[in-house]
Amino acid sequence: MERDQDAHLKKKVADEMEFAVQCSKCFKWRYIPTEERYEKIREHLLECPFYCEDAREWRPSISCNDIPDITQKEKKLSAFDKPGIPQPPSGWKRIVKVRTRGTIFADVYYDSPNEKRLRSIPEVERYLKQHSEYASQGVKLKKFSFKTPRSLQQDYAKKRSPTPPTPSDDINGDNAGMSM
DNA sequence: GCCACCGGTGGC
DNA sequence: GCCACCGGTGGC
């Protein structure tokens, strides 16, 4: 029963999101086939950069010479997720919702295994206190991060200081990304 | 009535 | 000035 719900939730999320990271050599974006893989890559991105060749595990002939999977021209909203965000505890899901309007770019939520949606560190803290079973499973507050990604679309940033021109290197290789 | 979404703001 | 947090509410 719970397992079905979990699968359902996963599918729902998968329908909404695609995951991609940027090659640290050619800076092209490559789709990552599963969220699990994406989370793992993102978590270790600082120590362990991603290269197009790493995608050969699921796309045998891929290389930096291939056209990017995603370009900034695309209509879809894109975002850099911040690197170093831990994988959510098993059964938990980290949701990034890009806002379609408004001044804030995105919201981050965690869905607990029983589908309770939590919106902030204090909420998670309270929830974990009330549900000691998670603590005994080793779920730690440290595993949660509500850091929001930043926009790939430079013109989105109303607030961000008009980032003095780095026109050519608009994308740096040190961030993982996702597109939605 | 619920909840996804957006806005306001307090604390840094 | 920024952003984490949470209140309010419109749409279902």
Side-chain angles (χ1 to χ4, degrees):
Chain A
M1 172 86 81
E2 261 187 34
R3 196 153 280 179
D4 287 345
Q5 284 176 355
D6 191 39
H8 176 72
L9 186 65
K10 267 192 180 141
K11 178 169 189 325
K12 211 176 102 196
V13 170
D15 287 345
E16 288 167 0
M17 300 223 256
E18 291 167 319
F19 298 90
V21 297
Q22 207 177 12
C23 173
S24 289
K25 200 160 69 188
C26 70
F27 302 134
K28 286 169 185 160
W29 289 88
R30 299 297 174 202
Y31 283 124
I32 307 301
T34 66
E35 179 171 9
E36 287 70 23
R37 229 187 267 256
Y38 168 75
E39 292 283 0
K40 193 170 286 183
I41 292 169
R42 174 180 64 188
E43 184 182 25
H44 299 292
L45 199 67
L46 289 178
E47 322 89 79
C48 187
F50 176 84
Y51 300 107
C52 288
E53 288 77 33
D54 297 329
R56 285 186 179 163
E57 206 179 318
W58 57 92
R59 287 169 69 180
S61 62
I62 185 87
S63 81
C64 289
N65 296 324
D66 292 293
I67 58 166
D69 296 358
I70 302 178
T71 70
Q72 289 195 62
K73 298 272 190 290
E74 272 179 71
K75 295 259 171 55
K76 284 190 291 190
L77 273 175
S78 309
F80 288 121
D81 213 340
K82 306 229 168 79
I85 292 170
Q87 292 188 62
S90 157
W92 292 70
K93 194 152 274 288
R94 187 172 187 268
I95 311 285
V96 176
K97 276 277 187 188
V98 173
R99 294 188 177 189
T100 56
R101 29 182 299 198
T103 51
I104 294 176
F105 176 63
D107 295 296
V108 177
Y109 311 110
Y110 280 86
D111 284 347
S112 79
N114 58 13
E115 299 196 21
K116 170 73 180 165
R117 178 156 289 190
L118 302 167
R119 304 191 295 168
S120 68
I121 291 289
E123 276 189 21
V124 172
E125 197 172 10
R126 259 178 275 137
Y127 187 81
L128 291 181
K129 274 203 187 108
Q130 288 164 8
H131 299 74
S132 50
E133 66 268 28
Y134 293 123
S136 58
Q137 289 167 18
V139 176
K140 297 259 167 37
L141 203 55
K142 293 264 169 265
K143 290 288 174 187
F144 296 83
S145 166
F146 287 85
K147 284 191 172 37
T148 54
R150 58 178 227 272
S151 174
L152 247 186
Q153 275 84 9
Q154 295 86 338
D155 54 355
Y156 183 93
K158 297 166 185 158
K159 308 193 301 181
R160 211 161 268 290
S161 55
T163 24
T166 44
S168 52
D169 63 355
D170 39 323
I171 298 177
N172 291 317
D174 58 358
N175 282 326
M178 56 173 60
S179 75
M180 281 144 270

